[in-house]
């Protein structure tokens, strides 16, 4: 083994020594000692324990940097700032004082609004996501991706039932260029028939390789609210046409429904960039700007059963089971959605139930002490997965358990899941379970806040 040098000489060598083995016998060395010095420490400062060697001094600034005087005012505030422009567009920022930034735009409209307002239209919201970074009227897709690469950036888009998100993560000095690119991708996309057909083909491939878990979560909304209702309608539609996407964009991409958010940027700069790159491409308001976008669609909880039989998808990178599996979700309503007083309680319940796959090796943060692991997965070898999930919307939400087993045990699986949900109402939780769940929820929230992206949808 290599021993640490104890002498502060000009040159320190790693020395291979014999060490005691079992029973006090010397351990045979694994090989000859290297004649070369492993560490070289050249002293250029006096031998004073309180003085840093000159070679390691950090007083000299790096080339191209400026050193602020000691009495220069510094503002290290991380407060969230909000500005509402006359057009109705809102700008939100939080200064993180880092070298990386993120800028995003959220549209307060999704597939639920599409289905309600546009007469049962399906699939346009998801197509807007697929077309997000496929080129604009000013840049080809290749040039767009080259520009993103030069920013040290990462682009992202996500469509859901009540919002549509576009986001760019980049180096701080490229924040203005990224804001311009974001405005182009969102407001000036390439909507040629050729580009639309390419995006639709990509979505079809994604649907074919979607996991069973993703498909069942979609079906859970149809079972809870009805497949013909706005919240129960599917995000994906194979027959979506280009005119539907154009109608969706012209109806919902308005200033009063858009929030531009940024982290790691100065608020005044983000407001100025928004006025420069977003507002010129947004239609003028036809009347008074409402304080918040309306949510007109009904959200009535009408539980039923939805079952779909189809071959298991071939997910790239994941092995396919040799035997058939049935994946089931059992859900119940959480009233009030994002604005409910018990929103935090619902989140704690999700963490308390926890769960996961039976294949998980456990370890810190894996939830092995959650209730679904302790009472379902650990005692029922035939349960392949059992995990609690939530889906929260503007007016309502769902709390449920999703899992998998062999088809011959699907009745037992449903019975187990219903028993766990019933136990929450009839037996309650212990103080130990509650404390553990609350601590895990805090840990999850703080872990997500380390990223620049999660604050943007909020």
């Amino acid at each position: 083994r290599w021993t640490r040098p104890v002498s502060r000489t000009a040159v320190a060598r790693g020395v291979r020594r014999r060490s005691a083995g079992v029973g006090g016998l010397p351990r045979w060395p694994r090989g000859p000692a290297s004649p070369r010095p492993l560490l070289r420490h050249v002293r250029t400062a006096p031998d004073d324990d309180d003085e840093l060697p000159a070679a390691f001094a950090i007083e000299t600034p790096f080339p191209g940097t400026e050193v602020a005087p000691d009495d220069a005012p510094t503002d290290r505030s991380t407060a969230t700032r909000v500005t509402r422009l006359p057009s109705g567009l809102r700008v939100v920022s939080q200064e993180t004082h880092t070298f990386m930034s993120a800028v995003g735009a959220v549209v307060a409209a999704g597939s639920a609004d599409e289905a309600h307002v546009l007469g049962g239209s399906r699939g346009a919201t998801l197509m807007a996501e697929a077309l997000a970074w496929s080129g604009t009227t000013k840049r080809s897709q290749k040039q767009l991706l080259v520009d993103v690469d030069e920013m040290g950036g990462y682009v992202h888009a996500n469509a859901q039932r009540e919002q549509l998100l576009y986001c760019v993560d980049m180096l701080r000095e490229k924040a203005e260029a990224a804001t311009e690119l974001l405005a182009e991708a969102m407001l000036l996309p390439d909507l040629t028939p050729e580009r639309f057909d390419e995006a639709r083909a990509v979505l079809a491939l994604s649907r074919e390789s979607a996991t069973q878990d993703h498909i069942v979560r979609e079906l859970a909304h149809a079972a809870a609210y009805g497949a013909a209702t706005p919240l129960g309608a599917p995000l994906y539609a194979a027959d979506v046409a280009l005119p539907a996407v154009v109608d969706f964009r012209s109806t919902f991409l308005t200033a009063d429904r858009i929030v531009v958010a940024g982290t790691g940027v100065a608020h005044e700069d983000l407001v100025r960039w928004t006025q420069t790159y977003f507002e010129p491409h947004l239609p003028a308001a036809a009347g008074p700007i409402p304080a918040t976008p309306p949510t007109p669609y009904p959200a009535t909880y009408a539980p039923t059963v939805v079952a779909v039989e189809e071959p298991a998808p071939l997910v790239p990178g994941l092995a396919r089971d040799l035997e058939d599996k049935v994946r089931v979700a059992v859900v119940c309503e959480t009233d009030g959605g994002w604005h409910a007083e018990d929103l935090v309680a619902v989140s704690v319940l999700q963490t308390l139930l926890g769960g996961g796959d039976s294949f998980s090796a456990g370890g810190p943060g894996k939830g092995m002490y959650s209730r679904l692991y302790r009472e379902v997965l650990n005692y029922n070898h035939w349960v392949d997965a059992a995990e609690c999930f939530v889906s929260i919307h503007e007016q309502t939400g769902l709390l449920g358990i999703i899992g998998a087993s062999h088809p011959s045990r699907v009745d037992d699986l449903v019975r187990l899941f219903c028993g766990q949900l019933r136990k929450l109402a009839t037996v309650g939780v212990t103080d130990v379970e509650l404390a553990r769940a609350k601590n895990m929820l805090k840990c999850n929230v703080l872990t997500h806040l380390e990223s620049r992206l999660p604050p943007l949808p909020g």
Side-chain angles (χ1 to χ4, degrees):
R1 60 188 176 88
W2 300 106
T3 61
R4 179 179 298 178
V6 295
S7 174
R8 300 182 61 188
T9 56
V11 178
R13 295 177 180 269
V15 181
R16 189 185 295 267
R17 303 178 184 273
R18 291 186 181 184
S19 60
V22 179
L25 297 176
R27 183 178 298 165
W28 191 259
R30 297 181 179 178
S34 173
R36 292 187 176 183
L38 298 178
L39 302 173
R40 186 177 297 275
H41 180 194
V42 180
R43 298 195 60 82
T44 58
D47 193 7
D48 186 355
D49 291 339
D50 297 330
E51 186 173 356
L52 185 71
F56 302 135
I58 59 175
E59 287 83 2
T60 304
F62 289 102
T65 61
E66 298 181 0
V67 179
D70 296 336
D71 58 348
T74 58
D75 182 10
R76 305 295 292 179
S77 173
T78 58
T80 300
R81 301 179 60 184
V82 181
T83 297
R84 187 180 181 87
L85 301 180
S87 64
L89 197 153
R90 286 161 289 174
V91 182
V92 184
S93 73
Q94 184 181 74
E95 178 59 90
T96 56
H97 307 283
T98 60
F99 293 103
M100 295 295 293
S101 302
V103 179
V106 184
V107 183
S111 63
D113 304 272
E114 172 193 353
H116 180 71
V117 178
L118 300 181
S121 173
R122 301 285 191 275
T125 307
L126 198 60
M127 279 301 302
E129 173 191 325
L131 291 165
W133 307 106
S134 59
T136 71
T137 57
K138 295 184 178 182
R139 318 182 202 209
S140 65
Q141 185 180 35
K142 177 181 178 181
Q143 185 59 49
L144 186 149
L145 296 177
V146 169
D147 294 341
V148 171
D149 187 60
E150 291 178 350
M151 298 174 190
Y154 165 76
V155 294
H156 174 67
N158 181 257
Q160 295 296 330
R161 284 175 164 76
E162 294 180 329
Q163 63 271 339
L164 177 62
L165 167 69
Y166 300 79
C167 185
V168 186
D169 193 21
M170 69 288 166
L171 295 171
R172 186 185 183 97
E173 61 266 23
K174 303 293 184 179
E176 181 176 3
T179 306
E180 180 182 8
L181 180 66
L182 175 68
E184 284 186 26
M186 181 178 181
L187 304 176
L188 302 173
D190 182 3
L191 294 180
T192 59
E194 295 78 14
R195 185 65 67 189
F196 179 83
D197 291 339
E198 291 178 5
R200 184 164 57 183
V202 170
L203 281 182
L205 290 174
S206 300
R207 175 66 180 180
E208 292 178 2
S209 59
T211 63
Q212 282 186 315
D213 186 273
H214 175 78
I215 296 173
V216 172
R217 288 174 190 250
E218 286 287 294
L219 295 176
H221 284 78
Y225 304 107
T229 64
L231 277 181
L235 283 169
Y236 174 73
D239 58 348
V240 62
L242 180 57
V245 178
V246 175
D247 290 345
F248 173 83
R249 295 179 52 81
S250 61
T251 302
F252 296 112
L253 268 67
T254 56
D256 61 304
R257 285 183 175 267
I258 295 177
V259 176
V260 177
T263 58
V265 295
H267 185 74
E268 293 76 10
D269 292 339
L270 187 59
V271 171
R272 185 176 69 255
W273 300 337
T274 301
Q275 293 172 325
T276 302
Y277 301 118
F278 276 85
E279 287 199 313
H281 305 298
L282 291 171
I289 304 298
T292 57
T295 308
Y297 62 85
T300 303
Y301 181 66
T304 184
V305 177
V306 175
V308 174
E309 183 176 356
E310 60 183 23
L314 294 175
V315 182
L318 296 180
R320 185 173 184 178
D321 290 327
L322 296 179
E323 59 181 13
D324 293 334
K325 299 292 183 184
V326 173
R327 192 165 291 268
V328 176
V330 178
V331 300
C332 57
E333 184 187 30
T334 62
D335 191 27
W338 291 112
H339 308 286
E341 295 181 356
D342 58 355
L343 175 62
V344 175
V346 172
S347 301
V348 172
L349 280 179
Q350 179 195 10
T351 308
L352 186 144
L353 288 176
D357 294 335
S358 60
F359 181 74
S360 176
K366 289 294 186 69
M368 295 296 286
Y369 282 96
S370 62
R371 183 174 287 187
L372 289 181
Y373 261 114
R374 291 185 292 106
E375 299 183 5
V376 176
L377 289 164
N378 290 352
Y379 284 93
N380 301 279
H381 65 88
W382 48 271
V383 178
D384 293 293
E387 183 178 7
C388 182
F389 72 97
V390 294
S391 181
I392 307 297
H393 304 291
E394 182 73 17
Q395 307 173 66
T396 181
L398 297 176
L399 170 71
I401 304 175
I402 186 171
S405 71
H406 189 270
S408 63
R409 304 301 298 266
V410 64
D411 291 343
D412 297 328
L413 187 65
V414 173
R415 191 177 299 108
L416 275 175
F417 290 173
C418 291
Q420 288 295 320
L421 293 176
R422 187 186 306 112
K423 185 177 178 180
L424 289 176
T426 58
V427 179
V429 300
T430 65
D431 293 339
V432 174
E433 283 183 307
L434 180 61
R436 184 183 294 125
K438 291 168 65 176
N439 289 334
M440 180 59 70
L441 179 61
K442 294 176 185 177
C443 177
N444 292 339
V445 171
L446 294 175
T447 300
H448 280 79
L449 287 177
E450 292 180 3
S451 170
R452 292 170 297 279
L453 300 182
L456 291 177

